[in-house]
Amino acid sequence: MRLRIVDAFTDRPFAGKPAAVVLLPSGPFPSDRWLGQVAAEVNLSETAFAHPLPDAPDADWALRWFTPTTEVAMCGHATLATAHVLRATGAATGTIRFATRSGILTATPATPTSTLAPAPTPSLTPSTSTSTSTSTTQPSGATAITLDFPTAPLTPLETPDGTGAALGATPLACYDTGPQVGDLLVELADEATVRGLSPDLAAVARLPHRGVIVTAPARTPGDHDFVSRFFGPASGIDEDPVTGSAHTALAPLWSPRLGRTELTGLQVSARGGRVHVHLRDDRTLLTGQAVTVIDGELLTAPEAN
C-alpha cells in the first residue's frame, strides 16, 4: 500500500503545507485505531485516507482526515493533496466527489498551473520576508485544483479577554467562524503587523477557540489581496504553514470589503502558501497547487473494524 507525502497550496517542494495520503481499496475503512496509528506514525498535521465508492450515486471516494491524535471534520490542504494524488496516479479524472464528515466536497481541475502566481519562496523569517519567486518551474508535477467547501458563517464577537496580549497586537475586530472551522478570526491593522507577530503561544492556547486566524489587507494589492497566519497551540500546532479551511472564513470577510468575489490570500508563514478563493454565497472555492515529494510503501496491513 502506497503512502505519499504531498506539499499542498504550493507549486514547489518544501513549501506550502505537507499532508500524507493513503489510498485504500474499496470497502469499509480500516479500524479507527489503525487509521490513528498510521497518522501518529507519520506525525504530520493531517493524514488523509480515501477509498473508492463504486456504487455511491453522489460521491466517488470516501475521505477521512486524522491528526496524530484525533479525527477532524474538515481539512482543506489534505483534500487538495488527495485530489492531486488521485489525478497524478490516474485513479480519478475530471471532478472528484468526496463523501466526508462535512458533506460532499468536490475537487475539479483548475486553471493551468503556468497562469497561477507562484507560491512564495520559503523563508525562515516570515515577519520580514516580502519576496516571491518569479519562476514557474514545477519539477515535481504541481497541479492546480479547485475545492468546493462550505463558507464559514462569520459572527462578530467582543474581543475575548487576553487576545491582544496573547498576540502582541491590538485587534480591530474579532469573529467566530462557526462549528466546522471553529477558530477565532482576528483582523489586525496591516500586513506588517501580521508578518511581525511573535505571539505568546501559551496565552493563545488559553483563548476560547481551537485556534486563531490573524489577517490584514495586502500592503500593496498585486499578486495577493490579503495576508493571514494561523496559530493553534491548543491543538499542538504552534503555527500552521497554510490553512485551507481558514480561507473559507477569510473569503467572506474580505470579499465585501474589496468588492470582488475572487481574491488571492497569502499565508505568510515560514514555508508560505497561496490560496485563490472564489466566494459563491454559502460555498467557497479554494484553488491551489500541490506537489508530491515522497512516495513510499506502508508495510503494515490495515486492521479491520
Side-chain angles (χ1 to χ4, degrees), residues 8-305:
F9 293 115
T10 181
D11 64 345
R12 68 201 66 230
F14 313 122
K17 183 175 181 180
V21 178
V22 179
L23 300 184
L24 300 161
S26 298
F29 277 106
S31 70
D32 288 3
R33 185 174 82 100
W34 185 86
L35 297 174
Q37 287 176 326
V38 172
E41 185 76 10
V42 175
N43 201 33
L44 292 175
S45 61
E46 276 86 16
T47 297
F49 300 90
H51 70 73
L53 296 171
D55 300 320
D58 59 350
D60 307 302
W61 289 76
L63 176 62
R64 296 171 70 181
W65 311 279
F66 282 75
T67 75
T69 59
T70 190
E71 185 173 9
V72 295
M74 186 166 68
C75 181
H77 84 286
T79 304
L80 177 60
T82 304
H84 166 78
V85 169
L86 290 171
R87 287 178 51 76
T89 60
T93 59
T95 296
I96 307 166
R97 301 168 300 169
F98 294 111
T100 77
R101 287 176 58 181
S102 294
I104 302 298
L105 307 178
T106 64
T108 304
T111 308
T113 55
S114 60
T115 68
L116 291 177
T121 302
S123 166
L124 296 179
T125 55
S127 61
T128 59
S129 171
T130 60
S131 65
T132 59
S133 168
T134 59
S135 169
T136 57
T137 301
Q138 296 149 14
S140 299
T143 60
I145 294 170
T146 296
L147 309 177
D148 184 338
F149 273 41
T151 299
L154 298 186
T155 304
L157 295 175
E158 292 292 329
T159 301
D161 290 344
T163 301
L167 294 174
T170 301
L172 299 184
C174 291
Y175 304 86
D176 180 80
T177 57
Q180 289 183 319
V181 176
D183 299 317
L184 178 67
L185 175 57
V186 180
E187 182 184 353
L188 297 177
D190 51 37
E191 179 172 328
T193 301
V194 172
R195 287 181 177 272
L197 286 182
S198 182
D200 178 341
L201 294 172
V204 171
R206 292 192 292 270
L207 295 175
H209 284 78
R210 182 194 68 154
V212 177
I213 309 160
V214 295
T215 188
R219 177 187 294 114
T220 304
D223 64 355
H224 63 281
D225 300 291
F226 60 87
V227 296
S228 67
R229 293 172 73 183
F230 176 86
F231 304 102
S235 302
I237 304 169
D238 287 350
E239 181 169 3
D240 201 24
V242 191
T243 316
S245 61
H247 286 76
T248 68
L250 291 163
L253 177 68
W254 291 114
S255 179
R257 305 271 192 93
L258 300 176
R260 289 181 286 122
T261 58
E262 295 188 49
L263 303 169
T264 299
L266 181 64
Q267 194 151 335
V268 290
S269 64
R271 287 172 66 100
R274 192 181 308 277
V275 184
H276 303 262
V277 301
H278 185 179
L279 183 64
R280 291 185 174 177
D281 298 322
D282 63 346
R283 307 296 296 185
T284 296
L285 306 186
L286 309 176
T287 299
Q289 297 166 260
V291 183
T292 301
V293 292
I294 295 175
D295 185 344
E297 191 74 17
L298 181 59
L299 299 178
T300 301
E303 175 184 272
N305 267 312

